[in-house]
Every structure is written in C-alpha cells, then in structure tokens.
Amino acid sequence: MPFALRKLLGQEITESDRVFYHEGLLAKFIEVPDIRINKNSPFSELCKEI
C-alpha cells in the first residue's frame, strides 16, 4: 500500500511502502516525505469518507 494511503488511514508506514518504480527501475525513498492535508480543501471531505 502506498505510504500516502497509510498516512491518511493513520497506519504505520512500512519499509515496502517506500519502494516504487521510477523510469522502469526500482527506487526507494530514503526518508518518508511529510504529508499534510489542508482541512479547508475539497479533498479533505473525501478523506473523511475513507
């Protein structure tokens, strides 16, 4: 599961969440980016449904 979804669901980010494909090659985030949601955006309403 991508780390962004885990963050939205309040779950702990796993090591495998940090691995992804970039230009056909495996890559890995060294650090997990800080993810923030603007609670005044329309997207925040969608997140409440998850």
Side-chain angles (χ1 to χ4, degrees):
M1 178 183 299
F3 64 87
L5 285 176
R6 285 200 194 274
K7 179 73 171 183
L8 289 172
L9 296 173
Q11 298 177 359
E12 186 174 331
I13 296 169
T14 65
E15 196 68 23
S16 64
D17 292 332
R18 298 168 62 181
V19 178
F20 62 97
Y21 279 103
H22 177 69
E23 297 183 1
L25 301 171
L26 278 175
K28 182 177 178 181
F29 282 108
I30 296 171
E31 295 179 10
V32 177
D34 186 30
I35 302 170
R36 298 181 193 160
I37 298 173
N38 181 349
K39 296 188 182 209
N40 297 324
S41 75
F43 183 70
S44 64
E45 290 299 317
L46 175 64
C47 293
K48 288 179 185 175
E49 296 176 11
I50 295 178

